[in-house]
Amino acid sequence: MKPLVDIDEIDAKILQLLIVDARTSLKDLAKKCGISSVSVLNRVKRLKKLGVITGATLFAPIEKFGLEIAASIGIELGPEANIDELLKFFREETDLMEPSVSVGKFDLTAFVCAEKIASLNEEVETIRKQPGVRKVIVNVWAGRPNTNIEDLDLTPLKDE
Amino acid sequence: MDKLDYLILSELYKDASLSFVDIADKVGTTPYTVRRRFEKLKKEGIISKTVVSIDLSKLGYQGKAFLMITVASNSDKTQTIKYLKHLKNTLFAIESIGPCDVLYIAPVTDMKSVLNLVKEVKKAPNVERVEFTCMSEVDFPICENFGKVLSAKCLALANSCPTKPSSSE
């Protein structure tokens, strides 16, 4: 198991505020945490250096970009499959999102966004043709995802 | 939406914390214009949220649980979703068309947290069956290739726009 980094209450609070809005200004962060802007900056720098903060991403309704269909893909592999090769292929050659080695019902999981059913089918066919892939199961998303990411437990192991 | 909008979105997908000055540099306009466009896109609901990305493994999470939930026939899926949405750490709960009715994702730390999660999810109204897969991915809220793919998509849309700036500015 990887060692945990040391996160104190103020670090957690900063992360929480940046989850709500990654563009919160240093000034606002400082005010809400009751410390100076310089301390906030140093803490954010430290969290980046430790690899806790890896960047920031944007959420937007993807149908505005013509991507009408989103789906979760579950892949079952045969014993002959080379999972690292497959993962590399999905990362580099396809538009699959978050391809992930998994354990349980599926051996690999990913998400995909597509313009229409035909393009979704193309993506699925590409996956199906890879060596070692036994079965591809598609769950098409209906509606918008509901999240509760603001409630992320930032100190999961310390609660115990 | 015009070319500039798509270019700004393309940069934000790569790094949503970029300053307006940095974005202006990259897309070849002024910080003031970027700010105005950003506010416009936010108002129109095209930018719905910016979220810091976190490596969950550093906080002690070992993966994400991916649950495929079947609800009782003749029951209301939206009730199930509503309940699941309010569970702690819910990254994702959505109605689905396919082998299962509801998809659910939450980060997990260890076996005990997996057991707890499944127990909690089973308490949701109308849940009939829960199938489980654990993803080894530990990026929060979603792995960086999400931004990469959508950034490329926005760039393609930008390039397909007429180059003439819109008359609104």
Side-chain angles (χ1 to χ4, degrees):
Chain A
M1 217 170 106
K2 282 185 203 167
L4 296 180
V5 297
D6 218 4
I7 300 277
D8 68 10
E9 267 169 43
I10 296 175
D11 290 327
K13 174 110 189 178
I14 291 172
L15 286 175
Q16 211 88 51
L17 291 165
L18 290 175
I19 289 170
V20 175
D21 181 0
R23 302 184 64 83
T24 313
S25 68
L26 285 178
K27 216 176 105 193
D28 282 350
L29 290 174
K31 213 165 112 190
K32 286 177 180 153
C33 297
I35 56 174
S36 71
S37 297
V38 179
S39 319
V40 171
L41 184 61
N42 286 335
R43 280 172 182 272
V44 170
K45 272 189 186 156
R46 177 178 164 266
L47 289 170
K48 281 185 180 163
K49 207 176 145 206
L50 290 171
V52 177
I53 294 178
T54 56
T57 192
L58 179 71
F59 281 178
I62 50 165
E63 64 271 19
K64 303 267 189 202
F65 309 135
L67 298 167
E68 298 286 339
I69 299 169
S72 292
I73 309 260
I75 304 166
E76 287 176 30
L77 300 176
E80 75 280 20
N82 182 335
I83 203 158
D84 294 329
E85 282 291 312
L86 281 170
L87 205 57
K88 190 165 170 260
F89 175 80
F90 291 145
R91 286 220 170 102
E92 288 168 11
E93 311 287 333
T94 70
D95 278 349
L96 291 181
M97 291 170 184
E98 200 167 48
S100 179
V101 177
S102 301
V103 62
K105 189 172 168 62
F106 301 120
D107 302 306
L108 267 172
T109 52
F111 304 106
V112 65
C113 296
E115 272 139 25
K116 42 187 195 262
I117 288 287
S119 35
L120 175 65
N121 189 39
E122 256 171 55
E123 291 276 359
V124 173
E125 282 304 298
T126 311
I127 300 169
R128 269 163 34 87
K129 283 184 194 140
Q130 295 314 304
V133 171
R134 264 218 192 133
K135 198 168 174 188
V136 183
I137 292 183
V138 181
N139 274 292
V140 177
W141 300 0
R144 293 261 175 84
N146 294 280
T147 64
N148 196 12
I149 56 174
E150 286 87 355
D151 258 357
L152 182 71
D153 191 350
L154 295 160
T155 52
L157 290 192
K158 288 185 185 169
D159 282 350
E160 315 253 325
Chain B
M1 297 232 281
D2 66 6
K3 184 169 183 159
L4 187 56
D5 289 329
Y6 285 123
L7 286 176
I8 293 171
L9 287 169
S10 175
E11 291 305 326
L12 285 171
Y13 265 121
K14 277 187 265 178
D15 183 358
S17 66
L18 279 180
S19 70
F20 292 136
V21 177
D22 288 339
I23 298 171
D25 267 358
K26 285 175 195 274
V27 303
T29 183
T30 64
Y32 174 73
T33 309
V34 175
R35 175 184 294 274
R36 277 193 40 196
R37 292 298 183 107
F38 183 87
E39 272 153 22
K40 186 198 78 174
L41 290 168
K42 215 164 172 180
K43 215 169 127 196
E44 288 171 353
I46 291 163
I47 293 174
S48 48
K49 199 168 165 42
T50 61
V51 189
V52 72
S53 303
I54 296 171
D55 177 353
L56 290 176
S57 70
K58 296 280 175 3
L59 302 180
Y61 290 99
Q62 305 213 338
K64 294 179 193 171
F66 175 66
L67 304 183
M68 290 171 65
I69 301 163
T70 309
V71 301
S73 51
N74 242 330
S75 71
D76 189 2
K77 272 201 249 185
T78 53
Q79 278 188 342
T80 317
I81 300 260
K82 221 166 135 190
Y83 181 95
L84 292 174
K85 188 191 161 179
H86 292 292
L87 288 182
K88 201 169 174 63
N89 285 0
T90 297
L91 284 185
F92 186 92
I94 194 166
E95 285 183 57
S96 146
I97 307 164
C100 73
D101 303 310
V102 174
L103 302 172
Y104 179 87
I105 296 179
V108 288
T109 51
D110 54 6
M111 194 58 206
K112 204 171 123 196
S113 83
V114 171
L115 291 172
N116 263 334
L117 178 73
V118 175
K119 205 169 92 192
E120 287 304 315
V121 166
K122 282 188 171 166
K123 282 185 197 158
N126 309 329
V127 169
E128 207 166 71
R129 200 167 94 224
V130 178
E131 286 176 281
F132 176 82
T133 301
C134 196
M135 304 156 69
S136 58
E137 199 60 63
V138 283
D139 292 322
F140 168 91
I142 191 162
C143 110
E144 45 107 25
N145 84 326
F146 164 84
K148 229 166 65 188
V149 170
L150 287 175
S151 173
K153 176 77 193 167
C154 286
L155 199 59
L157 284 168
N159 289 333
S160 67
C161 281
T163 39
K164 221 179 80 190
S166 68
S167 53
S168 62
E169 278 188 294

